[in-house]
């Protein structure tokens, strides 16, 4: 497989990387070295992807565990469902800590990546603001700390354009000075699909890698670099014009494919199939042979996903039109997401923070 | 012509409405009742469209004058060019006031439409914040007002979702109570084209009409309703997924059309044309007959602009994916735009505010 | 009584006006025309002052009802107590509406006075942001409105320095156009006492009067001017240097008076009284005759409250040091207060909004 | 001298520490080991205090140089004077760098101390936001860096209550990892005098010490700890109730002292002296012996500055009324101060940034 493609048209989400591999390689769903488990928890779709060294080479995602939690609670502005999502996140995160042999008293450094002054990139800093920090109490007032809490510190390193420094260098310096036992890093991601924006939360134990996130980093935040586990929590908050166009072409094709199937099959030779949208009707004569992508979209329809994206990108980029965009309601989405994720983290880190309590801490 | 289409797939910009009409009607560039004048001022493209009653019916934009000023200064974050743009805006606005018989002592009410808490919709309120208001001085401290100033008040009515009231009713109430001689209303618009986002400023003497702007209004802000001239200043700050997709398909087609032309013509029968992107090469055998949109995009390529948009919209809307989106740098774009427009307005309203002074007022 | 004094050294709170009158006139606690009722509700001190036409002249507060609710929940950042305070506010407000013959379907206009860009003055606008508005639903989607709601609209008129217009003129215009049945106006007040800042909420049916609030108004928001009841909700958020100094002098006196009493009385002639602070000890020989204010503070101690304030004001004002100040934690205090008051209003206005629901609306 | 007092009632400003020493020790103005130089630059008062090891023990300020720049430009909202102040700051800062043997290519780390979410404490973070950072360009695109720039990075470590970490530990970690040649740290200070709030800028080469600033630190940011020069820039943005009261008492005394002097001396035995404020007149009979503080303020008037403060503090603190307060216009003051200081720093750090250019960078 051509590794190169993935570098150019990559995704931060393991579930997407897996889907891309399946599609491109025309494989069955089973990929050697990539174990997939899907389930519903409290009604939310949770996908658990485990990648080993074999799988790492195939889908170009580092070996480790990637848990994806899907929720409509942010888009719908539904605060009850946001609270329920936070509780599920808390459970998933706690499970991942356990699997990585991180015990209840291990010291955590929470890192909020991104730029607090660019709303769609402010997810990390806004989450950090709502983290329940306790390390200073452990240091200076140990008598004030009740059972069921661990030492937690939290921090937003900013972005290179504002600080002039590599984000990983800043974190490296703090890790060496403060000696936390593990890191949780929160980052806003770029999505490769419209419908994941602000609705997919990925939790992983593989750290954060160069070129990921809304603001690209140059060095990995990882066990290899820092010597301690790095748990990452990422949510796609932006999408580029290439993705919007590519997704839309796919949706149009799926829509027509379905419509023609529904309409054609029963009455196949009896009446000509037709498709209506607005005041326009397309009949079979508009689509001579069969309902193939090629007829609907011509040459473009014949390209596979990666080729199509590459083509669109090559056209838009020189024009300066491959914008990274975000839904216009970005302010309230980021506000609610930061609240949700901080609630999930607070609940997972401190045994004694039940979700209701966690909620009141972060209001 | 089908007027209906325009209601569904409309544009706030007269230059776009005109282009749409030209394209759909396969007309020459001359439209009866629509007078077009293009010029460069200080290097910026200025398009002056005058629509009369005949033109109004054709391009579905109310009779009046629409001046469009194009600038890259916001996208490029170039503060010198932003200042230059503000100066041109000031001149264009002053000219429009003069044409509408608004003299130098006429009292102005500046209205900032939109929602201050939704960044891409906050252009109006953010601009109002930087307007040099003087009406209270004229009322309570006339001795403090120097020559060369007029009475100006400024105001942000909010949006219906937050106030529970029609925006035009609020303004109506204030107009009746305060008796300004004219209104300048600033609004964030939805764009029908990627490349106009945050780079096109439209100034018009026709007011603001139902369904326009990022937050739809139900009643016009217009001379007819308020009994005084309503000057509007609008900038597209958001774009929907339909537009992004439709524009991209057009760009891809133009790109290929040009590439094939460049490649085919010289060597027409000698060698097969080919197109390369990424690692993919398309040769003539992939495009049997001719370099038509139909070959590149199949059926989709045969649709005209309006049909194509309608199709995409009908597919995306039920999925909930026809997002209104904004560039991820929205915070700084809106900040700079508000500064630019307020500087332009302050310069146009007060004879004694030269651009440098206007600039310092709004910092 | 000298009416003049009150104009110069006034208070927005009726409880303070009453106290000032009692102190200055050396009266007993009973003032003709001023009825006082104190009680604890859910542990919060609630003072109910009813002023009639006779009382109006005495304490210089307009005839009507003034309810004062005291809470430490904001200063302490205690979200449970903030919720409890909001519930009490809701009950008090509902009672005041009933007493003013405002029924459950009467249309309400909520007005947030103050400047959204000056944090301590942003209480009104920030509260409005969290009001549950329904009027547009009653107008355009009556079928969507369930039982137990009333039509509510909400609005922030800004301040004269930003709009160039009288606040009351803007509201007047909207009232005439929209015809609400009553108004609830929220305003940040200046306190005449340190300990009331961010901890006293006054609800009244007398409207808002010239010279009150952090930003002085020139015209009353009142039944007399608008023809409909105007309920006001005010919280002191700033205090001036005169008040801080005057209060502190009083505290010092009370402190010493108490200390001397405690120390002197039991052992009166046995041992010399002494007072220690820091490394300094004052004995009776420092206070020759008796523990009078005059000995502690000399001439200043002989002045009554109003004289003392006047003196301090005359000294500080020409120096430009009579600052209006606010606690440095102003950002979080205003955030929490706006949440608390909006929750209280939403609960009082809509029968179907119980406090838990009201809370989730305003998060 | 009692060192203890200074710990309890300290000041961050060397000019104040010096004044306190002079007053308390009833010394002449000359203090051994403390060299004072006053001058006007561009109309602004500049005080240059040099403290050596002898002086350090006397006035309890670390040996080194303290330059104080006084300006009314922030309070008056005068943007021209703010620009002029920034230019003077730039010159003073450049001079201090030179004196500390920091050359034009030495690498600088700018550190913004304080809490970005608490407005009066946000001066550091807000300034950092406007610093021209170049280190990443030197590292990754050296070809893009013109002559006349040095490598600069900038950073806001947050406060311990939000991060759970000692601020100095965070900076220590970054210094070790990044190896800057010197640090410039910006901090909001608590003032010991009303009239210095938002109008005094202190630049020093002695670093920042425990207990200073609005948020107390526990470890020094200093050459001793980091091994590189630490230049500090501090502006008082808050003041406590003790200071306000104490200052006011002093102003009242000075005011009366002056008034009596003016009135009494010429006509001493001819007419009784009298003092009028409001409607009150105090005659000589109210002040039996002489115009001493003791008569005006009784025992309080006999206390020296430190004793008086200690007394007020002991009274207010247990009541919870020793608030740290800030002028209500804090939002615009901090905005303008951050702009001013960043402009000053940018101009001092980069030879090629003249003040006009520096200004446009930070807008």
């Amino acid at each position: 497989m051509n590794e190169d493609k993935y570098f150019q048209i990559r995704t931060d989400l393991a579930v997407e990387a897996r889907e891309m591999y399946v599609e491109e390689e025309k494989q069955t769903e089973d990929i050697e070295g990539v174990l997939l488990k899907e389930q519903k928890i409290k009604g939310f779709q949770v996908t658990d992807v485990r990648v080993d060294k074999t799988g790492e080479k195939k889908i170009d995602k580092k070996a480790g565990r990637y848990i994806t939690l899907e929720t409509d609670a942010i888009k719908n502005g539904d605060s009850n469902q946001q609270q329920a999502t936070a509780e599920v996140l808390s459970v998933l995160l706690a499970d991942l800590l356990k699997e990585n042999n991180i015990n209840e008293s291990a010291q955590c450094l929470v890192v909020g990546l991104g730029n607090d002054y660019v709303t769609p990139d402010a997810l990390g800093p806004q989450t950090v603001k709502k983290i329940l920090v306790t390390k200073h109490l452990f240091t200076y007032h140990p008598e004030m700390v009740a059972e069921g809490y661990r030492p937690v510190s939290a921090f937003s390193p900013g972005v290179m354009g504002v600080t002039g420094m590599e984000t990983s260098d800043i974190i490296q310096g703090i890790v060496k000075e403060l000696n936390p036992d593990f890191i949780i890093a929160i980052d806003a991601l770029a999505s490769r699909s419209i419908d994941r924006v602000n609705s997919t939360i990925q939790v992983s134990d593989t750290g954060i890698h160069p070129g990921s996130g809304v603001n690209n980093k140059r060095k990995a935040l990882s066990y290899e670099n820092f010597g301690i586990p790095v748990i990452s929590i990422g949510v796609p908050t932006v999408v580029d014009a290439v993705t919007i166009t590519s997704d839309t072409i796919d949706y149009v094709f799926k829509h027509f494919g379905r419509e023609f199937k529904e309409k054609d099959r029963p009455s196949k030779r009896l009446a000509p199939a037709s498709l209506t949208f607005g005041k326009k009707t397309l009949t079979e004569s508009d689509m001579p042979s069969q309902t193939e992508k090629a007829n609907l979209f011509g040459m473009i329809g014949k390209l596979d996903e990666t080729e199509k994206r590459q083509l669109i990108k090559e056209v838009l980029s020189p024009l300066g039109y491959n914008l990274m965009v975000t839904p216009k309601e970005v302010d309230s989405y980021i506000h609610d997401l930061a609240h949700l994720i901080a609630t999930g983290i607070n609940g997972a880190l401190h045994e004694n923070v039940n979700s209701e309590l966690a909620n009141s801490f972060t209001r």
Side-chain angles (χ1 to χ4, degrees), chain A:
Chain A
M1 203 201 85
N2 179 7
E3 300 297 325
D4 221 17
K5 281 189 298 188
Y6 284 103
F7 183 75
Q8 290 166 35
I9 307 173
R10 30 150 295 282
T11 170
D12 293 323
L13 299 176
V15 287
E16 287 187 351
R18 198 192 139 280
E19 281 165 17
M20 285 162 66
Y21 183 80
V22 170
E23 178 184 293
E24 285 168 33
E25 306 301 316
K26 271 74 184 168
Q27 273 223 332
T28 60
E29 290 284 313
D30 288 325
I31 306 174
E32 201 193 336
V34 180
L35 196 67
L36 178 77
K37 198 177 109 193
E38 290 178 305
Q39 56 182 317
K40 291 260 178 189
I41 304 183
K42 281 199 177 191
F44 300 102
Q45 179 72 28
V46 174
T47 310
D48 197 341
V49 178
R50 284 166 195 274
V51 179
D52 67 13
K53 286 288 172 193
T54 308
E56 175 170 333
K57 280 181 203 122
K58 300 212 173 198
I59 68 166
D60 196 40
K61 295 304 289 182
K62 209 190 150 201
R65 190 173 169 200
Y66 300 84
I67 308 170
T68 306
L69 168 59
E70 287 169 44
T71 181
D72 286 336
I74 298 295
K75 284 179 186 173
N76 297 341
D78 180 336
S79 49
N80 289 332
Q81 285 295 294
Q82 288 172 17
Q83 178 61 27
T85 307
E87 286 164 22
V88 175
L89 175 60
S90 207
V91 170
L92 298 174
L93 191 50
D95 186 59
L96 196 62
L97 296 185
K98 212 171 165 185
E99 182 165 328
N100 282 270
N101 298 315
I102 295 165
N103 67 31
E104 310 83 45
S105 60
Q107 190 201 136
C108 180
L109 172 64
V110 179
V111 176
L113 301 168
N115 187 342
D116 203 13
Y117 304 114
V118 173
T119 310
D121 195 24
L123 179 61
Q126 288 297 311
T127 301
V128 155
K129 213 179 127 182
K130 299 176 179 195
I131 292 297
L132 174 63
V133 298
T134 53
K135 184 168 188 304
H136 55 315
L137 301 178
F138 277 87
T139 309
Y140 297 110
H141 302 285
E143 76 286 359
M144 286 176 61
V145 186
E147 283 291 302
Y149 291 88
R150 76 168 78 222
V152 173
S153 51
F155 181 76
S156 294
V159 295
M160 196 163 71
V162 172
T163 65
M165 299 180 276
E166 267 295 342
T167 301
S168 63
D169 289 346
I170 297 177
I171 299 171
Q172 180 71 280
I174 292 172
V175 166
K176 282 187 193 162
E177 198 71 25
L178 275 291
N179 291 311
D181 297 310
F182 69 107
I183 288 174
I184 295 179
I186 302 111
D187 202 7
L189 307 177
S191 183
R192 235 182 124 273
S193 133
I194 300 178
D195 62 335
R196 290 199 183 280
V197 174
N198 298 324
S199 65
T200 294
I201 303 167
Q202 176 176 274
V203 185
S204 170
D205 56 8
T206 58
I208 288 185
H209 294 276
S212 65
V214 173
N215 283 282
N216 291 356
K217 290 102 201 162
R218 284 159 187 267
K219 293 183 195 167
L221 312 183
S222 64
Y223 188 90
E224 288 70 21
N225 280 348
F226 297 158
I228 52 175
V230 180
I231 307 295
S232 65
I233 301 181
V235 181
T237 63
V238 300
V239 72
D240 63 4
V242 168
T243 294
I244 290 179
T245 305
S246 176
D247 276 15
T248 303
I249 289 174
D250 292 350
Y251 291 129
V252 170
F253 178 66
K254 274 179 209 157
H255 178 80
F256 276 74
R258 197 173 52 242
E259 291 233 344
F260 274 105
K261 260 186 209 151
E262 283 165 8
K263 290 187 178 175
D264 286 6
R265 293 297 130 85
S267 57
K268 208 159 185 178
R269 290 295 134 207
L270 300 174
S274 69
L275 247 179
T276 303
F277 61 93
K279 311 206 160 187
K280 181 94 177 180
T281 299
L282 297 177
T283 62
E284 252 186 309
S285 64
D286 296 295
M287 283 148 284
S289 51
Q290 67 211 95
T291 56
E292 272 182 3
K293 236 179 184 171
N295 285 328
L296 274 161
F297 284 103
M299 266 170 42
I300 301 296
K302 290 179 192 158
L303 303 178
D304 74 19
E305 186 61 22
T306 307
E307 290 165 349
K308 188 180 63 192
R309 283 174 168 265
Q310 178 107 25
L311 167 63
I312 298 172
K313 194 175 176 181
E314 289 194 11
V315 171
L316 289 185
S317 295
L319 297 170
Y321 298 155
N322 189 20
L323 301 174
M324 291 296 256
V325 295
T326 190
K328 88 176 163 67
E329 299 82 359
V330 61
D331 305 83
S332 66
Y333 288 168
I334 295 295
H335 176 271
D336 286 1
L337 268 174
H339 181 72
L340 190 166
I341 293 172
T343 304
I345 292 174
N346 288 337
L349 289 183
H350 304 291
E351 266 186 297
N352 253 17
V353 176
N354 62 38
S355 62
E356 201 181 336
L357 192 56
N359 197 32
S360 78
F361 276 126
T362 58
R363 200 173 48 113

